[in-house]
Amino acid sequence: MVARRKAKRTARRKRTFSVNLIETGAGLAFLDAANAGTAAQSLLKGDIQGGLKTLGDAFKTNKDAMIRIGAGSLAAKLVVSSLGGSKILGKIGPLALRA
């Protein structure tokens, strides 16, 4: 009897999801400053004008906070990019947390 050759196995790439922590945090801070939760509830109830008014008023009253959030996230990205090395801060299963 002739020994059969084993089939070649191709390397499978690991499936990972990468989450940028600085951008995610800045996005959540912007949503909080824009009072997006209340606006979304108004929009879901069908009150489009009320939802847009809520967003507009929040942007007008919280513009200083939004400028601080943008400047802070930009500064954090510049600091992290200047450090060099791996930008991955940690991994939880298939989720990679990066800066």
Side-chain angles (χ1 to χ4, degrees):
M1 221 163 142
V2 178
R4 291 185 173 209
R5 290 191 334 195
K6 292 184 178 179
K8 289 184 180 179
R9 294 187 182 204
T10 58
R12 289 182 68 190
R13 198 178 79 151
K14 284 187 170 183
R15 292 182 184 159
T16 59
F17 302 97
S18 184
V19 176
N20 190 317
L21 292 177
I22 296 171
E23 291 173 6
T24 303
L28 291 173
F30 276 126
L31 285 175
D32 184 45
N35 205 5
T38 306
Q41 286 178 347
S42 297
L43 290 171
L44 287 174
K45 290 178 184 175
D47 185 15
I48 295 173
Q49 186 175 3
L52 293 177
K53 182 167 177 37
T54 302
L55 283 175
D57 292 343
F59 275 104
K60 288 176 189 173
T61 58
N62 296 331
K63 61 183 170 186
D64 290 337
M66 295 206 181
I67 291 171
R68 278 191 231 117
I69 293 167
S73 64
L74 179 64
K77 293 221 23 124
L78 289 174
V79 167
V80 168
S81 67
S82 69
L83 292 177
S86 176
K87 304 293 185 253
I88 295 177
L89 301 175
K91 288 185 180 180
I92 303 170
L95 184 67
L97 306 171
R98 62 184 169 88

